[in-house]
Amino acid sequence: MTTFWCEHAELGDGAVPGVRISVGGGRITAVDRMPSPAPGDTRLPGVVLPGFANAHSHAFHRALRGRTHDRGGTFWTWRERMYAVAARLDPDSYLTLARATYAEMALAGITCVGEFHYLHHPAGGGRYSDPNEMSEALVQAAADAGVRLTLLDTCYLEGGLEGAGHLPLNDVQVRFSDGDADAWAARVAALPERPGLRIGAAIHSVRAVPAEQLAPIARACASRPLHVHLSEQTAENEACEAYYGSSPTRLLADRGVLGPATTAVHATHLTGEEIAALGASGTAVCACPSTEADLADGVGAFRWLRDAGSPLCLGTDQQAMTDLLAEARLLETAERLETGERGRFRPAELVEALTVAGHRALGWADAGRLAPGQRADLVAVRLDSPRTAGCALDQLVMAASAADVHTVVVDGRVVVSEGQHVLGDVGRLLTDAIDPLWQDAR
Ligand SMILES: [Zn+2]
């Protein structure tokens, strides 16, 4: 049994002072109000929140940070740089990069990551001796970094969609594809769940998966989490309308993809009818505000989606930054710019997106709250930093950043203490992982 005494803790109705959290077997066993710590308690400063769930990550995009801003361009030109990195990764370099990337996430208070993984096979095609070798690299990386993982194993079959139909896979994309949905499902079925690991599924997008393959994917994943990139770009909507005579949302709905186990990522360019369809189906929506801003995607209608019935969660996506607190703030501030209204989301709603809603989208119903029986994921955020000093407890999410995360506990294990990760210097780990990927490619 381990006991943590929190200066303040977020217990659901706001942060309260003096809370003792008892932990055994990786779970919270008791939550008690206590004005001061008892002997043996680990003292956690500031405000303790439940662990954050990063509901949308592409770990390897971390290698692109600070390297795609010199030439302007669009999402599509950014994608060319991304493919240059994708072409260079093998299981060893992927493990090294993902381990450092997930360690950076832990420093930011992320205790669980949803990895939207499509880098399945060797560069140029073929198969590794274990067809899940790249997946196993991610599993190992998350375990090393001390975070839980939902591997959203992604079906990716086509090279894109234009009005006349799908495009063939290019030389880089060929390593993303299993051939068809049945082969994809067979490979995923061979990947066992383990403690701290949940296997989910993803449809890359209607650009990369033809309509006739959608229903088999939805059936194969049963009630496991199923994620899909949706309407991030207007070009996707236009091509889908031209080829199918249907919006991407309608296509997914008609093929049985939407529902409470499904999360639509981005959902940026939607009509009112599509918002209503997503909400009525209980489909969650994952906003990735820093990515959507970096790629000039546009601002999604997240308040309307929430009001229509879609739970909202957050993701770091292309890792332009690894700061889920800042993502939450961007969710609110982007809507302010768009609508001319403040307070589109209450701070408590942003915390819900960071914690309980994110975990639900990743298939962890037993995480995201500080309550007995829940997984012991604790994030202590300092109240005495230059950023947070003077901040009201219930508005901390509108001021704090990843740099203010003091302690992170995942399943009862202290992974970050006083802002230091158990693996050591994460900046060094990232440098050592990223620099070799760009050698000869500058
Ligand atoms: Zn993505």
Side-chain angles (χ1 to χ4, degrees):
M1 178 72 74
T2 309
T3 50
F4 297 92
W5 184 82
C6 314
E7 280 182 1
H8 307 84
E10 170 56 61
L11 298 185
D13 288 326
V16 297
V19 175
R20 190 174 193 238
I21 298 177
S22 304
V23 172
R27 297 200 177 249
I28 296 170
T29 56
V31 176
D32 301 298
R33 301 289 296 274
M34 277 182 60
S36 55
D41 288 354
T42 299
R43 186 184 178 118
L44 300 181
V47 176
V48 174
L49 300 163
F52 305 157
N54 182 4
H56 190 67
S57 160
H58 306 281
F60 77 90
H61 292 190
R62 177 61 184 83
L64 294 160
R65 185 185 301 172
R67 288 196 178 259
T68 64
H69 309 288
D70 53 337
R71 299 178 194 175
T74 64
F75 169 89
W76 307 102
T77 52
W78 168 84
R79 198 177 71 157
E80 292 305 314
R81 307 296 291 276
M82 184 266 278
Y83 280 176
V85 173
R88 298 175 80 93
L89 287 162
D90 61 24
D92 287 341
S93 55
Y94 202 26
L95 168 60
T96 305
L97 177 57
R99 179 196 290 129
T101 301
Y102 294 156
E104 186 190 3
M105 290 182 193
L107 286 174
I110 291 163
T111 56
C112 181
V113 57
E115 179 69 28
F116 198 105
H117 167 54
Y118 54 82
L119 208 49
H120 301 305
H121 303 300
R127 295 291 180 268
Y128 292 110
S129 54
D130 171 3
N132 280 313
E133 201 168 336
M134 293 293 264
S135 301
E136 291 289 359
L138 292 167
V139 172
Q140 184 64 46
D144 291 349
V147 299
R148 282 196 309 282
L149 173 68
T150 295
L151 188 75
L152 299 161
D153 196 304
T154 304
C155 188
Y156 193 124
L157 303 173
E158 304 282 357
L161 179 63
E162 294 185 344
H166 285 94
L167 304 173
L169 297 164
N170 68 25
D171 289 348
V172 176
Q173 292 167 328
V174 73
R175 70 182 307 192
F176 307 162
S177 175
D178 291 286
D180 62 28
D182 288 342
W184 163 84
R187 182 180 53 73
V188 178
L191 196 59
E193 291 194 334
R194 283 151 259 182
L197 171 66
R198 195 137 288 172
I199 306 297
I203 292 162
H204 180 275
S205 59
V206 299
R207 290 180 276 123
V209 178
E212 69 273 13
Q213 302 281 332
L214 294 172
I217 297 170
R219 273 199 303 276
C221 72
S223 59
R224 292 182 184 189
L226 173 60
H227 288 217
V228 54
H229 288 132
L230 177 65
S231 295
E232 181 178 6
Q233 302 294 326
T234 51
E236 172 180 304
N237 292 359
E238 289 156 10
C240 195
E241 285 286 357
Y243 184 56
Y244 292 114
S246 171
S247 70
T249 300
R250 177 50 52 203
L251 196 67
L252 295 175
D254 289 347
R255 306 290 167 141
V257 172
L258 302 184
T262 299
T263 298
V265 181
H266 303 303
T268 310
H269 301 284
L270 301 179
T271 64
E273 195 180 316
E274 290 163 337
I275 290 168
L278 284 169
S281 68
T283 300
V285 169
C286 182
C288 307
S290 72
T291 294
E292 290 147 12
D294 184 70
L295 297 178
D297 288 344
V299 178
F302 297 116
R303 178 74 256 175
W304 287 284
L305 281 159
R306 182 75 193 87
D307 290 343
S310 287
L312 293 184
C313 52
L314 292 155
T316 61
D317 192 4
Q318 58 136 325
Q319 331 294 359
M321 65 180 186
T322 300
D323 189 338
L324 225 45
L325 286 160
E327 298 286 354
R329 197 150 54 245
L330 272 173
L331 178 69
E332 162 66 16
T333 52
E335 292 227 3
R336 290 185 185 184
L337 290 168
E338 189 80 352
T339 63
E341 283 177 27
R342 303 182 85 223
R344 299 282 290 173
F345 294 97
R346 288 178 289 109
E349 292 179 302
L350 300 178
V351 172
E352 179 186 74
L354 286 169
T355 57
V356 70
H359 281 96
R360 198 179 304 132
L362 296 178
W364 303 89
D366 57 351
R369 293 184 297 118
L370 300 179
Q374 289 271 296
R375 289 173 178 274
D377 301 340
L378 314 177
V379 178
V381 180
R382 290 173 52 179
L383 279 171
D384 61 351
S385 80
R387 291 160 296 277
T388 59
C391 190
L393 294 178
D394 63 352
Q395 297 177 41
L396 183 61
V397 69
M398 293 304 288
S401 77
D404 304 314
V405 172
H406 179 279
T407 302
V408 179
V409 178
V410 184
D411 286 331
R413 177 186 172 218
V414 177
V415 175
V416 173
S417 180
E418 299 191 18
Q420 297 296 311
H421 193 278
V422 290
L423 288 178
D425 182 349
V426 176
R428 169 53 51 192
L429 295 177
L430 285 161
T431 301
D432 291 348
I434 294 169
D435 278 357
L437 295 174
W438 290 103
Q439 274 165 15
D440 310 322
R442 294 164 209 270

